[in-house]
Amino acid sequence: MNARHRTEVLSNPARRALLLQSSLAAGLWTLGLAPSKAQVPAPSATVEPGFGIWLRFDAQGGLTVLSYVAELGQGTHSAVQLMAAEELDLPLARVRVEQAPVEARYFSKRLKDYASFGSLGTPLSWREIGGLCASARAMLVQAAATRWGVAAADCRTGADNGEGQVLHPDGRQRLPYAVLLAEAALLTPPKDAPRKPASARRLVGKEGAQRIDLPAKVNGSARFGIDARRPGMLYATLIHAPRFGAELLGVDERPAKAIPGVRGIVRLPGALAVVADSYWTARQALQALKPRWSAGPHAATDSEALRAELLAATARGEGKPFDQRDEPRIDAAAVTQAMSQSARVLDISYDVPFLAHATMEPMNALAEVGPEGAALWLSTQSAGDTQRGVAKALGLQPEQVQINAMLIGGGFGRRLEHGFAVQAALIAKQMKGRPVQLIWSREIDMQAGGYRPAAAARVRLALDGKGWPQALRVDAANPSLLEYSGLTNGEPSKDFDWSVGMGWTRHDYEVGPMQLGWTRVDAGVPCGYWRSVGASQNTFFYECSIERAAALAGIDPLAYRLRLLEKKPHTQALLRALAERAGWGQVLPPGHFQGLGLSCGNAARSAHIVQVSVRSPGRFRIERITAAVDVGLVINPDSVRAQLMGGTIFGLSAAVAGEITLKDGMVQQTNFDSYPLLTLAQTPPINLVVLGSGEAPRGVGEEGPASIGPALANALFAAAGKDPIRAITRLPLTRAGWVLEG
């Protein structure tokens, strides 16, 4: 047993029991490994049958499934429960889902990491966990068939009498899973076991399945990262340098140390922390300090100056080109020719600001550091990166750092970064073995960076004589989020950022050849992944340009888009279903207008129609929103609707008033008074359409934010009489002269 496990056993009896159970289960056949790597369990009356590291059956035939996907409110653990119960024909109540230990053997095969991003949780679980469950079912059937001396192909499974069972071909005899587990666990796992056909499904895609995380969240028993507690723990909070890249010059620590309950002051790179017996005491002591900071390299950063620089870069059009590896239709020479021969070139420049994630649960982590290793309790989307990052900071090996991933009170990409966890570990190291929980205040969280990059784009559409696109050229400019992000999702790079292409490349619209270039314009502001990533701004740029092209052609915006989607019938079907539900084309009340937006920036497809009313110049109300999504295979309809609604409100808040601005190098927003979220009074009725046009699920978490902003902007474009001078080319809408009334 290594040093980390020795620490765990000594400090946590429950963890010791889990490790013992894991060790026993590891002695059974491991699904997904070659037979040569599997082991036959030693005979023992206390050994519970198991089917590898991901599936743990108990003696009564109940199942616990382990998952590396973080539960951050998206409902993936509930989806995993449904998948497992479906494939194994178990009653839903007999399946539990637990967070897997953060160990290399539990990393996703596809991601080769322990992380949750890109709306991949459900799709990868369907492929990986669902496949393992199908293999386990085949093993149970084979064990029963061997007992009976019949062909396995003639047997079937069922969830009868509150348990999973294998049924004899005669339809009368049946064997519960509980009596077959020991025999089945010794069989060689079949490769590519057939999945249950759609016609036989009783749970997946059906209404009424309860989210397994909701009861605890409703009754208050759910434990998020900020709820973690350890015996003898201390609390810490901190202040970052007021400008990115600045360093501490000096501070008089005496005022803080004079406050009862203060246990220490820790200097960190670019930050100053106070440790105390309570969070409130730590915060009061922090406010008593008057640290002196260097000006840093970015003291002159100004949002308006940065905006001008971004727009100037797009106008020059000298950025690094994307190529056909990113998008097969890229052909710069063909675009140049089409532009020169077109009847008209629609040429529009857009820009959007930095955006914060504004999670309800601010960044926090509880760390305990001892001579043999470290343990952390926190809400994280990237447990693997956190483990490696903390290990590097402490001079340990990753296996010496135990990560206890807890429920997440909002992620949206912000918790893919792990700097706050490293800070907690460094602070705890100074406290000589006492656990320390670091909590960022809302103000610190809002001003700490990790933002969606500020961006600009110049969009040029070559149009023929009837107004149809013949070619598309996009010149984009923004900081590289890859340069700053700690997520292991590709090499850190300031030279090329693939996320710039999201929402442009491999889009469903047929617009002819494409040319896409990117210029890095950096202001020293740390950037990161934000819900829907590059599609969040590029969909706004693209959809508003398509809307303008339709207006120039004098064609209904829906009909215009359907023509561009002739080779994508599933996306056409999505827009038609959305339009029917929203009443597109019907006569609207006076002063009411509709706008449409489509997102093809991720694997799923989403779209919105927004209806607004304008009662005075520059002021509007949102009367209703209709949202639609095609997720391929629907696992839990209620979870899909919840995700689509949440993403819609998330994106709408950003489009209406969201922005992070800087003046003299300092972030101006500090809390929800200066970074407002959509209020209940401003939120209209939201009608949801969920479609499934595939055999495998696609993620939905990133689909709502991207298309809601352009749908709203296009509704206001219609309200302005489709006047190109009054078209919205800048977000948030408050910067474009529009105010949402409550």
Side-chain angles (χ1 to χ4, degrees), residues 95-138:
V95 179
R96 300 175 65 248
V97 180
E98 293 182 359
Q99 199 71 44
V102 183
E103 301 170 3
R105 60 183 182 144
Y106 289 102
F107 285 11
S108 161
K109 292 182 181 179
R110 164 79 180 277
L111 302 178
K112 294 181 171 51
D113 205 350
Y114 195 120
S116 301
F117 59 83
S119 296
L120 291 172
T122 295
L124 292 186
S125 296
W126 174 260
R127 180 190 306 178
E128 297 173 356
I129 297 298
L132 293 174
C133 290
S135 293
R137 174 165 48 85

Coordinates of all heavy atoms in Angstrom, one line a residue, residues 95-138:
V95 N -30.3 0.4 -8.4 CA -29.0 0.9 -9.0 C -28.7 2.2 -8.3 O -29.5 3.1 -8.2 CB -29.2 1.1 -10.5 CG1 -27.9 1.7 -11.1 CG2 -29.6 -0.1 -11.2
R96 N -27.4 2.3 -7.8 CA -26.9 3.5 -7.2 C -25.7 3.9 -8.1 O -25.1 3.1 -8.8 CB -26.4 3.2 -5.8 CG -27.5 2.7 -4.8 CD -26.9 2.4 -3.5 NE -26.4 3.6 -2.8 CZ -25.1 3.7 -2.6 NH1 -24.2 2.8 -2.9 NH2 -24.6 4.8 -1.9
V97 N -25.4 5.2 -8.0 CA -24.3 5.8 -8.7 C -23.4 6.5 -7.7 O -23.9 7.3 -6.9 CB -24.7 6.7 -9.9 CG1 -23.5 7.3 -10.6 CG2 -25.6 6.0 -10.8
E98 N -22.1 6.2 -7.7 CA -21.2 6.9 -6.8 C -20.0 7.5 -7.6 O -19.7 7.0 -8.7 CB -20.6 5.9 -5.8 CG -21.7 5.4 -4.8 CD -21.1 4.5 -3.8 OE1 -19.8 4.2 -3.8 OE2 -21.8 4.0 -2.9
Q99 N -19.4 8.5 -7.1 CA -18.2 9.1 -7.7 C -17.1 8.1 -7.6 O -16.8 7.6 -6.5 CB -17.9 10.4 -7.0 CG -17.0 11.3 -7.8 CD -17.7 11.9 -9.0 OE1 -18.8 12.4 -8.9 NE2 -17.0 11.9 -10.2
A100 N -16.4 7.9 -8.7 CA -15.3 6.9 -8.6 C -14.1 7.6 -8.0 O -13.9 8.8 -8.0 CB -14.9 6.6 -10.1
P101 N -13.2 6.8 -7.4 CA -12.0 7.4 -6.8 C -11.1 8.0 -7.9 O -11.2 7.6 -9.1 CB -11.2 6.1 -6.3 CG -12.3 5.1 -6.1 CD -13.3 5.3 -7.1
V102 N -10.4 9.1 -7.6 CA -9.6 9.8 -8.6 C -8.3 9.0 -8.7 O -7.3 9.4 -8.0 CB -9.4 11.2 -8.2 CG1 -8.6 12.0 -9.2 CG2 -10.8 11.9 -8.0
E103 N -8.3 8.0 -9.5 CA -7.1 7.2 -9.7 C -7.0 6.9 -11.2 O -8.0 6.9 -11.9 CB -7.2 5.9 -9.0 CG -7.4 6.0 -7.5 CD -7.7 4.7 -6.7 OE1 -7.8 3.7 -7.4 OE2 -7.9 4.8 -5.5
A104 N -5.8 6.7 -11.7 CA -5.6 6.5 -13.1 C -6.5 5.5 -13.8 O -6.9 5.6 -14.9 CB -4.1 6.2 -13.4
R105 N -6.7 4.4 -13.0 CA -7.5 3.3 -13.6 C -9.0 3.7 -13.8 O -9.7 3.0 -14.5 CB -7.5 2.1 -12.7 CG -8.0 2.3 -11.3 CD -7.8 1.0 -10.5 NE -8.3 1.1 -9.1 CZ -8.9 0.2 -8.5 NH1 -9.0 -1.0 -9.0 NH2 -9.3 0.4 -7.2
Y106 N -9.4 4.8 -13.2 CA -10.8 5.3 -13.4 C -10.9 6.4 -14.4 O -11.9 7.1 -14.5 CB -11.4 5.7 -12.0 CG -11.7 4.6 -11.1 CD1 -10.9 4.3 -10.1 CD2 -12.8 3.8 -11.3 CE1 -11.1 3.2 -9.2 CE2 -13.1 2.7 -10.5 CZ -12.3 2.4 -9.4 OH -12.5 1.4 -8.6
F107 N -9.8 6.7 -15.1 CA -9.8 7.8 -16.1 C -10.7 7.3 -17.3 O -10.7 6.1 -17.6 CB -8.4 8.1 -16.6 CG -7.6 8.9 -15.6 CD1 -8.0 9.2 -14.3 CD2 -6.4 9.5 -16.0 CE1 -7.3 9.9 -13.4 CE2 -5.6 10.3 -15.2 CZ -6.1 10.5 -13.9
S108 N -11.3 8.3 -17.9 CA -12.1 8.0 -19.1 C -11.1 7.4 -20.2 O -10.0 8.0 -20.4 CB -12.8 9.2 -19.6 OG -13.1 9.1 -21.0
K109 N -11.5 6.4 -20.9 CA -10.7 5.9 -22.0 C -10.6 6.9 -23.1 O -9.5 7.0 -23.8 CB -11.3 4.6 -22.5 CG -11.2 3.4 -21.6 CD -11.8 2.1 -22.2 CE -11.7 1.0 -21.2 NZ -12.3 -0.3 -21.8
R110 N -11.7 7.6 -23.4 CA -11.7 8.6 -24.5 C -10.9 9.8 -24.1 O -10.0 10.3 -24.9 CB -13.1 9.0 -24.8 CG -13.3 10.2 -25.6 CD -13.0 10.0 -27.1 NE -13.2 11.3 -27.8 CZ -14.4 11.8 -28.2 NH1 -15.5 11.1 -27.9 NH2 -14.4 12.9 -28.9
L111 N -11.1 10.4 -22.9 CA -10.4 11.6 -22.5 C -9.0 11.3 -22.0 O -8.2 12.2 -21.9 CB -11.2 12.3 -21.4 CG -12.7 12.7 -21.7 CD1 -13.3 13.3 -20.5 CD2 -12.7 13.6 -22.9
K112 N -8.8 10.1 -21.5 CA -7.5 9.7 -20.9 C -7.3 10.7 -19.7 O -6.2 11.1 -19.4 CB -6.4 9.7 -21.8 CG -6.5 8.7 -22.9 CD -5.3 8.7 -23.8 CE -5.3 7.5 -24.8 NZ -6.6 7.3 -25.5
D113 N -8.4 11.0 -19.0 CA -8.3 11.9 -17.9 C -9.6 11.7 -17.0 O -10.5 11.0 -17.5 CB -8.2 13.3 -18.3 CG -7.5 14.2 -17.3 OD1 -7.4 13.8 -16.2 OD2 -7.2 15.4 -17.6
Y114 N -9.6 12.3 -15.9 CA -10.7 12.3 -15.0 C -11.3 13.8 -15.0 O -10.8 14.6 -14.3 CB -10.3 11.9 -13.6 CG -11.4 11.5 -12.6 CD1 -11.4 10.3 -12.0 CD2 -12.4 12.4 -12.2 CE1 -12.4 9.9 -11.1 CE2 -13.3 12.1 -11.3 CZ -13.3 10.8 -10.8 OH -14.3 10.5 -9.9
A115 N -12.2 14.0 -15.9 CA -12.7 15.4 -16.1 C -14.1 15.4 -16.7 O -14.5 14.4 -17.3 CB -11.7 16.2 -16.9
S116 N -14.8 16.5 -16.5 CA -16.1 16.7 -17.1 C -16.2 18.0 -17.9 O -16.1 19.1 -17.3 CB -17.2 16.7 -16.0 OG -17.2 15.5 -15.2
F117 N -16.3 17.9 -19.2 CA -16.3 19.1 -20.0 C -16.9 18.7 -21.4 O -17.0 17.5 -21.7 CB -15.0 19.7 -20.2 CG -13.9 18.9 -20.8 CD1 -13.8 18.7 -22.2 CD2 -13.0 18.2 -20.0 CE1 -12.9 17.9 -22.7 CE2 -12.1 17.3 -20.6 CZ -12.0 17.2 -21.9
G118 N -17.2 19.7 -22.2 CA -17.6 19.5 -23.5 C -18.9 18.8 -23.7 O -19.2 18.2 -24.8
S119 N -19.8 18.8 -22.7 CA -21.1 18.0 -22.7 C -20.8 16.6 -23.1 O -21.6 15.9 -23.8 CB -22.0 18.7 -23.8 OG -22.4 20.0 -23.4
L120 N -19.7 16.0 -22.6 CA -19.4 14.6 -22.9 C -19.8 13.6 -21.9 O -19.6 12.4 -22.1 CB -17.8 14.5 -23.2 CG -17.3 15.3 -24.4 CD1 -15.8 15.3 -24.4 CD2 -17.8 14.6 -25.7
G121 N -20.2 14.1 -20.7 CA -20.5 13.1 -19.6 C -21.5 12.0 -20.0 O -21.2 10.8 -19.8
T122 N -22.6 12.4 -20.6 CA -23.7 11.4 -21.0 C -23.2 10.6 -22.2 O -23.4 9.4 -22.2 CB -25.0 12.1 -21.2 OG1 -25.5 12.7 -19.9 CG2 -26.0 11.1 -21.7
P123 N -22.7 11.3 -23.2 CA -22.3 10.4 -24.4 C -21.2 9.4 -24.1 O -21.3 8.3 -24.5 CB -21.8 11.5 -25.4 CG -22.5 12.7 -25.0 CD -22.7 12.7 -23.6
L124 N -20.2 9.8 -23.3 CA -19.2 8.9 -23.0 C -19.7 7.8 -22.0 O -19.2 6.6 -22.1 CB -18.0 9.6 -22.4 CG -17.2 10.5 -23.3 CD1 -16.0 11.1 -22.7 CD2 -16.8 9.8 -24.6
S125 N -20.5 8.2 -21.1 CA -21.1 7.2 -20.2 C -21.9 6.1 -20.9 O -21.9 4.9 -20.6 CB -21.9 7.8 -19.1 OG -21.2 8.7 -18.3
W126 N -22.7 6.6 -21.9 CA -23.5 5.7 -22.7 C -22.6 4.7 -23.4 O -22.8 3.5 -23.5 CB -24.2 6.5 -23.8 CG -25.0 5.6 -24.8 CD1 -24.6 5.3 -26.0 CD2 -26.2 5.0 -24.6 NE1 -25.5 4.5 -26.7 CE2 -26.5 4.3 -25.8 CE3 -27.1 4.9 -23.5 CZ2 -27.7 3.6 -25.9 CZ3 -28.3 4.2 -23.7 CH2 -28.6 3.5 -24.9
R127 N -21.4 5.2 -23.9 CA -20.5 4.3 -24.7 C -19.7 3.4 -23.7 O -19.6 2.2 -23.9 CB -19.5 5.1 -25.5 CG -18.5 4.3 -26.3 CD -17.4 5.2 -26.8 NE -17.9 6.3 -27.6 CZ -17.2 7.2 -28.2 NH1 -15.9 7.2 -28.0 NH2 -17.7 8.2 -28.9
E128 N -19.2 4.0 -22.6 CA -18.3 3.2 -21.7 C -19.1 2.4 -20.7 O -19.0 1.2 -20.6 CB -17.4 4.2 -21.1 CG -16.4 4.9 -22.1 CD -15.6 6.0 -21.5 OE1 -15.7 6.2 -20.3 OE2 -14.8 6.5 -22.2
I129 N -19.9 3.1 -19.9 CA -20.6 2.4 -18.8 C -21.7 1.5 -19.4 O -21.9 0.3 -19.0 CB -21.2 3.3 -17.8 CG1 -20.1 4.1 -17.1 CG2 -22.1 2.6 -16.8 CD1 -19.1 3.2 -16.3
G130 N -22.4 2.0 -20.4 CA -23.5 1.3 -21.0 C -23.0 0.0 -21.7 O -23.6 -1.1 -21.6
G131 N -21.8 0.1 -22.3 CA -21.2 -1.1 -22.9 C -20.8 -2.2 -21.8 O -21.0 -3.4 -22.1
L132 N -20.3 -1.7 -20.7 CA -19.9 -2.6 -19.6 C -21.1 -3.3 -19.1 O -21.1 -4.5 -18.7 CB -19.2 -1.9 -18.5 CG -17.8 -1.3 -18.9 CD1 -17.2 -0.5 -17.7 CD2 -16.8 -2.5 -19.2
C133 N -22.2 -2.6 -19.0 CA -23.5 -3.2 -18.4 C -24.0 -4.2 -19.4 O -24.5 -5.2 -19.0 CB -24.5 -2.1 -18.2 SG -24.1 -1.0 -16.8
A134 N -23.9 -3.9 -20.7 CA -24.3 -4.9 -21.7 C -23.5 -6.2 -21.6 O -24.0 -7.3 -21.7 CB -24.2 -4.3 -23.1
S135 N -22.2 -6.1 -21.3 CA -21.3 -7.2 -21.2 C -21.7 -8.0 -19.9 O -21.7 -9.2 -19.9 CB -19.9 -6.8 -21.1 OG -19.4 -6.3 -22.3
A136 N -22.0 -7.3 -18.8 CA -22.4 -7.9 -17.6 C -23.7 -8.7 -17.7 O -23.8 -9.8 -17.2 CB -22.5 -6.9 -16.5
R137 N -24.6 -8.1 -18.5 CA -25.9 -8.8 -18.7 C -25.6 -10.1 -19.5 O -26.2 -11.2 -19.2 CB -26.9 -7.9 -19.5 CG -28.1 -8.6 -19.9 CD -29.2 -7.6 -20.3 NE -28.7 -6.6 -21.3 CZ -28.6 -6.8 -22.6 NH1 -29.0 -8.0 -23.1 NH2 -28.2 -5.8 -23.3
A138 N -24.7 -10.1 -20.5 CA -24.4 -11.2 -21.3 C -23.8 -12.3 -20.4 O -24.0 -13.5 -20.6 CB -23.5 -10.9 -22.4

